[in-house]
Amino acid sequence: EYYNLDGCVIALDLIKDAGLFVEIEIETDDEQTALEKIDALAQKLGLDDSMIETLPYRDVVINNRK
């Protein structure tokens, strides 16, 4: 599912054997502005840095199956 909010695209990905993931994206050439907007929207959605997953979905699934 995709949503548009505050100039960002939010993707909700439900991955079997991994869970629900939220991706926030913005298209801009200004990296600093993009990071600020993404951070502000993440906070608005109640997300924090402890929830960040850096592994690819494939690796999360493999780790969850162990």
Side-chain angles (χ1 to χ4, degrees), residues 20-65:
L20 179 64
F21 294 84
V22 178
E23 293 184 51
I24 302 173
E25 302 173 356
I26 186 170
E27 287 191 33
T28 181
D29 292 330
D30 183 351
E31 183 177 351
Q32 184 61 39
T33 298
L35 292 173
E36 290 171 4
K37 283 188 171 189
I38 289 170
D39 186 52
L41 184 53
Q43 288 181 18
K44 186 175 185 177
L45 295 173
L47 306 173
D48 63 55
D49 289 348
S50 70
M51 301 169 143
I52 294 175
E53 178 58 68
T54 59
L55 294 174
Y57 292 152
R58 180 201 69 203
D59 293 348
V60 173
V61 170
I62 290 169
N63 289 340
N64 285 346
R65 288 182 178 168

